[in-house]
Structure formats: structure tokens, C-alpha cells
């Protein structure tokens, strides 16, 4: 990448076949978030009650736990990608890399905790599926 011409300074940026992939990933995750959140809201509306016993019985079913895990995964990916774009666009000093690393590990930790919690309730002893 040269520094002499304007073309040399921008080569590898913009339409370098990298931004379109990120845009598609963000769009697909937004679509999956929409579908999964609508599923979640409809599932909550169709429950007869919202007490602990009803929710744990509902979450013990594979058709409830698996989409909920997919929702957590999709939201975590969408969150990380969106905040990564904001950090890359507006943070221009050396703290940018630290923020990206903190964001990456925070998102992994939050998603892992949420998935663990779902699995713990889904596989809890004494919950009838």
C-alpha cells in the first residue's frame, strides 16, 4: 500500500470486499433477531401463567430452549458487531484496540452466562418436559 497517491492511500479500504461481508452479517443477524424475538414474545403470550413452575416447564422443552439459545447467540453477535463498528469509526487512538478486546471478551462472557443459565434451567432435575 503506497503513500504517494490518493489511490495508494485508500487501497485496501472501502470497497475492498471486506465491508460488504460485515454489512451482510449485520443484516442477517438483524433478521434472525427479529424472527427470534417475535417467537419469544409469542411464546410468552401463549403461556397460561408466568410463574416459576410454568417457565421452567416451558424451558425444559427442546423447542423452547434451542430457539432461546439461538436468540442469545444472534443478539450477542449483533451487539458485538454493531459496537465494533462504532468503536472502529469513532475511536482513533491506542485505546481502540483495548476497547475492541474488552468488547469481544465481554460479549463472549455474557453470551456464555446466558446460555449456561438456559441450559441449567432446561436440564434441572425434577422439571417435567
Amino acid at each position: 500500500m503506497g503513500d504517494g497517491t490518493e489511490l495508494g492511500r485508500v487501497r485496501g479500504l472501502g470497497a475492498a470486499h471486506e465491508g460488504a461481508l460485515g454489512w451482510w452479517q449485520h443484516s442477517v443477524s438483524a433478521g434472525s433477531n427479529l424472527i427470534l424475538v417475535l417467537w419469544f414474545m409469542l411464546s410468552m403470550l401463549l403461556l397460561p401463567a408466568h410463574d416459576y413452575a410454568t417457565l421452567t416447564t416451558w424451558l425444559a422443552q427442546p423447542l423452547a430452549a434451542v430457539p432461546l439459545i439461538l436468540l442469545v447467540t444472534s443478539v450477542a453477535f449483533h451487539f458485538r458487531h454493531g459496537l465494533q463498528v462504532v468503536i472502529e469509526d469513532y475511536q482513533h487512538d491506542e485505546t481502540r484496540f483495548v476497547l475492541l478486546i474488552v468488547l469481544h471478551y465481554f460479549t463472549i462472557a455474557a453470551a456464555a452466562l446466558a446460555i449456561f443459565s438456559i441450559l441449567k434451567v432446561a436440564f434441572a432435575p425434577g422439571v417435567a418436559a
Side-chain angles (χ1 to χ4, degrees):
M1 193 154 81
D3 289 328
T5 66
E6 289 184 29
L7 180 61
R9 283 193 298 273
V10 299
R11 202 163 263 157
L13 303 173
H17 309 291
E18 292 292 327
L21 175 66
W23 182 83
W24 273 108
Q25 289 174 338
H26 206 70
S27 299
V28 169
S29 68
S32 67
N33 284 345
L34 177 65
I35 292 167
L36 290 166
V37 165
L38 288 174
W39 163 83
F40 181 71
M41 289 172 44
L42 185 63
S43 296
M44 290 293 107
L45 288 173
L46 293 177
L47 286 176
H50 294 99
D51 58 346
Y52 181 77
T54 305
L55 289 175
T56 54
T57 303
W58 172 75
L59 195 53
Q61 301 172 6
L63 290 178
V66 171
L68 198 56
I69 290 171
L70 291 174
L71 176 62
V72 167
T73 306
S74 180
V75 166
F77 176 81
H78 191 77
F79 171 80
R80 186 196 59 80
H81 186 266
L83 235 53
Q84 177 180 340
V85 169
V86 170
I87 291 170
E88 288 173 347
D89 286 349
Y90 295 107
Q91 190 68 31
H92 297 294
D93 57 2
E94 59 278 353
T95 60
R96 171 181 172 176
F97 300 107
V98 173
L99 289 173
L100 288 173
I101 290 169
V102 168
L103 171 66
H104 185 71
Y105 285 111
F106 170 77
T107 307
I108 290 172
L113 181 64
I115 291 169
F116 174 78
S117 299
I118 292 166
L119 292 174
K120 185 170 174 74
V121 172
F123 294 131
V127 176

